[in-house]
Amino acid sequence: MKILHILGARPQFVKYAAVEAAITRRSSQDGLINKLIHTGQHYDYCLSKIFFDELRIKEPEYHLDVGSGKHGQQTALVLQRAEEVLCIERPALVVVYGDTNSTLGGALAAAKLHIPIAHVESGLRSFNKRMPEEINRVLTDHLSSFLFCPSETAVNNLEMEGINLGGHKGMHGAAFSSMPGGCRLPVVFNVGDVMYDTCLHALRIALERSAILTQLSLGVKRYDLLTLHRAENTDDIETLEELILFLNGATAARQVIFPMHPRMAKAYQLTRTKLGGHVKIIPPLGYFDLLMLLNNAGRLFTDSGGMQKEAYWLGVPCITLREETEWVETVSSGWNVLYKNYRGEHQPGIGRRNAYGDGAAAEHIVDVLLKRMNG
Ligand code: UD1
């Protein structure tokens, strides 16, 4: 069975690494052929190649070189160029990851060619359609045949939109559903979060290899970590300046390390309000250094989806720089708080940190695909 994965942005490389490892472990016995498209949405070394090198992801068979651009242009280029590849490769399945323009463009290309789609990190909702990511994930879910959710909340979100007609919530549901005419009904599985798989694997390596604490002269738990890059924050100067004021207040007594995403770097040039001198701005980091910094941080301030969960898994209190979060379990367990609800030091959570599976999500995904596609 030939599987083609479509990736383009930093968090997708982290998610895919776990799936590729699980497929590689099974490919010789189960006849899986794995092919990879890199859309080129992220192209800087520090947002792309370093993740392939560190996580030992194979060289993609196809590069679409879509680069930066407006949403319509970026999505349309992925759609057009992915379609050309899909016509050549004719895979049995296309796998897309998360909520980026690469995901939506790739899913549209596959759907129009009647190629089944598996969506990894399905069912997430912010219920905020001003986020491009929300539009991307809702549409992708409605195009997909296999919806691999990281949590029960995600499964319930899909149910509310009428996506669970196959009725399979668990990992071992009945045979693949079909409708008259051979159309496949979508099937929903709570497999856990593939980012947890990668986080567990990479943390072991980071602890051995990363020298970032020494390089930046940082003491364990003596600093806070900050990341900020979401379009809804960076593209509106008033919102961004409000966040900068909040951050200056909330972190004044602390050292703060801020690996700055290129989108934020562009926006930051335009703000009149600036971060205080206690905030050290550095270039984006590779995955091992980032995990090492996070693991040893006192607090995380972020608008990243992935990092909210990584903080939760590592037991680092998180303050989320958004109006809402898709990762509601991190908040209900007390490990995460939305910045508008933050009133100074919050107690680290007391809730258990097991909402996103068992760290073997990628294995569960491969199990499902082998059973359902071959069955
Ligand atoms: C994208 C995803 C977001 C994800 C994020 C991770 C969408 C809609 N959003 O946002 O879900 O959390 O990736 O980083 O797909 N740029 C560079 N070098 C690069 C890549 C981008 O300089 O290698 C610049 C571009 O000029 C662009 C800006 O950064 O203007 C933003 O890049 P873009 O791909 O549009 O989205 P992200 O903000 O990275």
Side-chain angles (χ1 to χ4, degrees), residues 174-188:
F176 204 47
S177 314
S178 61
M179 293 199 298
C183 277
R184 283 171 165 185
L185 283 178
V187 282
V188 177

Side-chain angles (χ1 to χ4, degrees), residues 247-260:
L247 287 163
N248 281 340
T251 64
R254 304 270 297 173
Q255 193 175 8
V256 179
I257 305 299
F258 184 8
M260 196 182 263

Side-chain angles (χ1 to χ4, degrees), residues 242 246 320 322-323 337-343:
E242 185 193 316
F246 165 78
T320 290
R322 288 181 44 199
E323 303 281 333
V337 60
L338 300 176
Y339 82 100
K340 289 205 167 154
N341 300 332
Y342 182 63
R343 304 278 174 270

